[in-house]
Amino acid sequence: MLRYFGRAAAAATLLLGALPLLLTRPAPLQDWPNHIARIHILVDLLHGSPFWGHYYRLTGFFVPNAALDLGITGLRLAGLPLPLAAQCFLVATYALFVASFLALARAYDASNPAKPCFAVLLFYGNALFWGLVNYVLGLGLLLGLLALWLRAGPRTRLAVAAAGAALLLLAHLVVAVLWIIVLGCHDLHRLRRARLAHCLSWLIALLVVASLLSAMPHGGGLGIGYAGGRFGIAGHKLWLFAKVLLGGSLLQDLTSLAGLLVCIIAVFAGRPSLAPAPALAAAILVLTVLLAPERIGDGSQLDSRLAIAPLLLLAAAVRIRPHPVARIAIPAAVLARTLVLAWAWHASGQEFAQYRGQTASLPSGSLMLMAYGTRLSTLSWQHIWSPPITSIATQLVLHDLFVPTIFAEPGQQPVALDARYTPLKQPWNLSDPVHFRASARALAALCASGAFPHIYLTVLYPGDVAGMAGAALLRPRHDFLLLDACRLPNPQPP
């Protein structure tokens, strides 16, 4: 009886796992509103918009990481409103991720009633909370392709490796590289009992990715940066694994850790075993995280997003016999975490809705710039994530306000920002009187140029900015301020 109850609980957890995605539009993920705004611009450019054509140009969909733009644009052109199209894409990403995870568990002969719960728990991780939806979609696709590859014959495996490399590159470049690494580990293990010609899937995938990349446009630089911080590079790398499921309110993070802890205890209590190939692949993926930089060129969060990959592979491949108590404890812990997450997202969604309400009267054609009122290095984890509002102003693009912080890199997205407006992308520093005056002087010059009919500022983490803004203050709120950039106090130094 307990066994059947556990299966029912796991199925309920799987179905309710989509609940956070259904409660609010847009989902309160750090970069998600930014991506949605770009789709609005993209669709209007496809329709020949003169307004957006002044600021952006189409570069085409033949770029890495184009899956999101292709998917949501397709749904939008099919007639769905943009917020609904974006929500459908998120739900489809969840469905693909979970289905692929379960397929991979079956391919490794590691299925059990706990696996759906593992999939739901790991879907809602730090990578998703940052809004890296292309990357999460790519991970789901990688899991499904690996399941197909494992069940294929020698010749078919080469075809899956090649086609998978092309598909994954369109989903996300980083996942395409992970595909090569994972296939290489499995091929190396197969080499003990198979001919070399049957162990070249990784090489086929590498050649496909390299060929396609060489034909694609390139944008940004190739500079490499490693994050250090207070505890150095080693501390930063350890933190990557510690925060793999974190990114929200204190309650949300606590339930995430609790859910992970329950699953880990259940795994170790269930007499775990792991096949050599996924064990090798997971070890190499951990090493990849440790060696990877934080930033390459314009792309950031590289090592941070990689941290979930070895955990995903281990969770799918590990074979366990869950204790009868674990069959109840695992879905209960994951379901509790999912419900807390749904509540937190709903609350954050209200914050996004309030911003839309407070900016509804701003005239179309205006310029909205971003600023911060507190030094970013002093912000706490909870301050950044409760609520996750770093891209809150990009919602205004849907009302045809120009927000130059929209992601529009020609090497990563189908649209590119006109180089004349690149200097407007960076947030303005209003964190203290000295920086406030410097920013005000620069903004006064921009206002005097007459390039825009109205110029506004959304100030995140406002600090003491309200007291310095004077008549420029339009909307005072705890989490953000709206300022008229052309009415800032006398910018001359004292």
Side-chain angles (χ1 to χ4, degrees), residues 161-180:
L167 286 172
L168 290 172
L169 184 60
L170 288 177
H172 203 282
L173 171 58
V174 173
V175 182
V177 174
L178 292 178
W179 177 240
I180 298 168

Side-chain angles (χ1 to χ4, degrees), residues 95-306:
L96 173 66
F97 185 97
V98 171
S100 296
F101 182 95
L102 298 179
L104 183 58
R106 289 193 297 272
Y108 281 131
D109 194 25
S111 292
N112 64 67
K115 291 303 173 86
C117 300
F118 291 174
V120 174
L121 181 71
L122 296 176
F123 174 77
Y124 292 104
N126 187 253
L128 181 70
F129 298 149
W130 271 109
L132 308 177
V133 177
N134 263 333
Y135 178 71
V136 176
L137 173 72
L139 285 178
L141 186 57
L142 184 151
L143 299 177
L145 287 167
L146 183 56
L148 183 62
W149 184 87
L150 289 169
R151 294 186 178 277
R155 294 183 180 179
T156 307
R157 277 199 296 271
L158 295 178
V160 173
L167 286 172
L168 290 172
L169 184 60
L170 288 177
H172 203 282
L173 171 58
V174 173
V175 182
V177 174
L178 292 178
W179 177 240
I180 298 168
I181 294 172
V182 171
L183 289 183
C185 293
H186 284 77
D187 276 340
L188 183 60
H189 178 258
R190 284 179 182 271
L191 193 58
R192 300 183 308 163
R193 51 185 174 82
R195 292 186 299 170
L196 178 61
H198 294 162
C199 300
L200 296 178
S201 292
W202 69 274
L203 182 59
I204 296 297
L206 175 62
L207 292 175
V208 169
V209 170
S211 299
L212 289 175
L213 271 180
S214 65
M216 289 177 172
H218 301 279
L222 293 176
I224 294 176
Y226 282 85
R230 181 179 178 184
F231 299 103
I233 294 178
H236 168 75
K237 295 296 184 179
L238 289 175
W239 173 235
L240 296 181
F241 293 103
K243 70 173 184 179
V244 72
L245 295 186
L246 305 184
S249 66
L250 180 60
L251 179 61
Q252 178 185 319
D253 285 348
L254 287 175
T255 54
S256 296
L257 290 175
L260 180 61
L261 182 61
V262 168
C263 291
I264 290 174
I265 292 173
V267 167
F268 280 101
R271 290 174 289 176
S273 64
L274 194 63
L280 174 62
I284 296 301
L285 289 176
V286 170
L287 183 61
T288 302
V289 177
L290 296 177
L291 296 178
E294 188 275 338
R295 174 183 294 273
I296 297 180
D298 294 327
S300 62
Q301 300 284 330
L302 174 59
D303 54 355
S304 180
R305 74 182 75 199
L306 285 172

Side-chain angles (χ1 to χ4, degrees), residues 334-478:
V334 174
L335 181 57
R337 187 256 190 155
T338 304
L339 294 177
V340 168
L341 181 62
W343 172 81
W345 282 23
H346 177 70
S348 296
Q350 297 303 304
E351 193 79 15
F352 278 71
Q354 289 171 8
Y355 181 89
R356 291 194 298 272
Q358 301 224 352
T359 57
S361 61
L362 299 183
S364 298
S366 301
L367 171 66
M368 175 59 77
L369 300 172
M370 297 295 298
Y372 55 90
T374 303
R375 283 191 299 119
L376 299 182
S377 60
T378 66
L379 294 175
S380 68
W381 177 268
Q382 293 303 319
H383 205 166
I384 293 172
W385 289 101
S386 300
I389 57 173
T390 56
S391 294
I392 196 170
T394 58
Q395 297 177 107
L396 294 175
V397 167
L398 276 64
H399 300 291
D400 288 345
L401 275 77
F402 176 39
V403 185
T405 54
I406 298 298
F407 299 143
E409 298 295 338
Q412 300 180 45
Q413 282 96 35
V415 296
L417 178 66
D418 190 301
R420 292 174 295 172
Y421 304 106
T422 301
L424 301 179
K425 291 173 57 176
Q426 298 303 317
W428 297 82
N429 186 350
L430 307 179
S431 62
D432 57 63
V434 173
H435 286 99
F436 186 96
R437 287 193 297 268
S439 296
R441 285 194 294 272
L443 287 167
L446 182 61
C447 292
S449 71
F452 303 94
H454 303 279
I455 303 176
Y456 300 100
L457 279 173
T458 294
V459 184
L460 304 181
Y461 320 115
D464 299 325
V465 171
M468 297 185 285
L473 182 61
L474 300 178
R475 304 283 192 276
R477 284 190 55 82
H478 173 70

